[in-house]
Amino acid sequence: MAVNVHSTSMTIENLSRHDMLAWVNDSLQLTYTKIEHLCTGVAYCQFMDMLFPGCILLRKVKFQARLEHEYIHNFKVLQASFKRMNVDKIIPVEKLVKSKFQDNFEFLQWFKKFFDANYDGKMYDPQLARQGLEMSPAPNPGDLIFHKPKKTPPVPGPQRTSPTAPKIMPPPQRAATTTPASGMRRHPPYSRNGGSDAEIMEINQQLMDLKLTVDGLEKERDFYFGKLRDIELICQGHENDNNPILNKIMDILYATEEGFAPPEEEDVEGQPGRDQDEY
């Protein structure tokens, strides 16, 4: 069983953020550059595997987590390992997954103290334990997860001066051949609208990444909506109790803002069931 520790301003080590990051990176062979990158939960999961082998199933950890619902999944795996080892720390998941510095730094300070109290000095190969998977840092809050397209210099080609003007085509030229001696390079093919195939492929990749982001946000929205709906049903089942706390909860649930109209009851009831297994 684990040795429980309690972190206060008098008991925590006075380590800077740089010292903390260096400890995490050296211990797990990572390249984190910010405390906020710990919001994915994967580092803590692997630390638990280092401290208590077998207390956590690393194959359940999403090492390439990039979305908030994936972070929540990882912290649930971590919380399960805490329960298994009788660790009485409650993980503030809702705060940590928001990738705020202060919340993540405070939790890391507690975990460092917990680690020092439980580590027995045994050898551990973090790369082997995660089967060579790289733990990609979480994106900064508000950043999109796809890369911006690289700017390419304009390439001279057919141009149209006006919608009605005839299209002026340059005279045909002999295609240049590439030889090792000449060093000449054939230009990449361009589509009729002036964009290269590489640009089109990159834009398609961005659209795919954006779709994944939207899908993740929709799943997260449905996840929290389901919780609110369950709370509403419980409150409705005790409407006749005249419980002031339940009445206050119902007031909060039904509170609206200007310009917002709650959905009709039929729309709420008619929503398809949501699969919450992955949260």
Side-chain angles (χ1 to χ4, degrees):
M1 295 296 103
V3 176
N4 284 292
V5 298
H6 300 281
S7 179
T8 66
S9 59
M10 300 298 295
T11 61
I12 60 175
E13 297 182 56
N14 189 21
L15 295 178
S16 68
R17 70 177 74 181
H18 304 292
D19 295 332
M20 285 292 196
L21 275 178
W23 170 68
V24 172
N25 288 332
D26 293 343
S27 300
L28 300 179
Q29 298 179 16
L30 300 177
T31 57
Y32 285 177
T33 58
K34 294 182 179 180
I35 294 294
E36 293 89 326
H37 291 164
L38 291 158
C39 72
T40 63
V42 293
Y44 299 118
C45 290
Q46 190 154 21
F47 271 129
M48 287 298 291
D49 184 62
M50 179 190 299
L51 293 174
F52 311 105
C55 78
I56 192 169
L57 296 177
L58 288 183
R59 68 172 181 270
K60 289 188 175 182
V61 178
K62 297 181 182 294
F63 287 100
Q64 299 292 329
R66 304 284 289 177
L67 300 172
E68 188 170 308
H69 75 276
E70 295 175 321
Y71 308 161
I72 294 174
H73 168 85
N74 288 338
F75 278 112
K76 285 192 174 183
V77 174
L78 179 65
Q79 188 73 72
S81 70
F82 276 17
K83 183 177 180 181
R84 193 171 293 114
M85 301 308 299
N86 288 336
V87 181
D88 57 12
K89 177 71 171 179
I90 302 300
I91 303 174
V93 179
E94 292 80 4
K95 294 182 179 179
L96 296 178
V97 298
K98 298 302 181 184
S99 188
K100 300 297 184 182
F101 168 79
Q102 190 62 37
D103 296 323
N104 281 274
F105 188 59
E106 290 177 359
F107 187 77
L108 179 60
Q109 286 179 315
W110 170 86
F111 195 91
K112 178 64 165 64
K113 184 175 178 63
F114 172 80
F115 181 91
D116 292 341
N118 288 274
Y119 185 52
D120 59 6
K122 60 178 172 291
M123 298 297 294
Y124 182 79
D125 188 342
Q127 286 279 3
L128 180 63
R130 60 178 180 260
Q131 299 179 351
L133 290 175
E134 292 298 328
M135 297 194 286
S136 57
N140 293 328
D143 287 355
L144 295 178
I145 64 173
F146 53 81
H147 301 289
K148 294 181 179 179
K150 298 178 181 178
K151 293 183 178 180
T152 56
V155 178
Q159 298 181 351
R160 188 185 296 271
T161 56
S162 69
T164 57
K167 192 172 183 179
I168 302 175
M169 298 295 292
Q173 298 179 355
R174 181 177 299 175
T177 57
T178 303
T179 61
S182 64
M184 298 288 291
R185 184 174 296 176
R186 189 187 299 264
H187 289 289
Y190 283 80
S191 61
R192 291 195 300 184
N193 62 0
S196 68
D197 290 342
E199 277 185 308
I200 294 174
M201 291 178 63
E202 189 167 4
I203 292 174
N204 287 336
Q205 182 62 42
Q206 291 176 21
L207 292 175
M208 186 178 300
D209 290 342
L210 183 58
K211 183 179 184 302
L212 291 175
T213 303
V214 173
D215 290 343
L217 292 174
E218 289 178 348
K219 289 179 181 179
E220 184 179 349
R221 175 203 62 194
D222 294 343
F223 172 71
Y224 288 111
F225 176 83
K227 286 184 175 293
L228 291 173
R229 181 58 175 159
D230 292 340
I231 294 172
E232 181 185 23
L233 292 175
I234 293 173
C235 294
Q236 288 176 348
H238 296 80
E239 282 182 336
N240 298 328
D241 296 351
N242 292 325
N243 188 317
I245 296 179
L246 293 181
N247 293 336
K248 184 64 176 177
I249 294 174
M250 292 293 287
D251 291 341
I252 294 174
L253 288 176
Y254 292 144
T256 60
E257 296 182 2
E258 184 178 356
F260 171 81
E264 297 294 334
E265 186 68 21
E266 303 140 354
D267 295 340
V268 174
E269 297 292 345
Q271 286 195 358
R274 291 170 292 276
D275 187 5
Q276 300 181 12
D277 290 342
E278 65 178 285
Y279 293 92

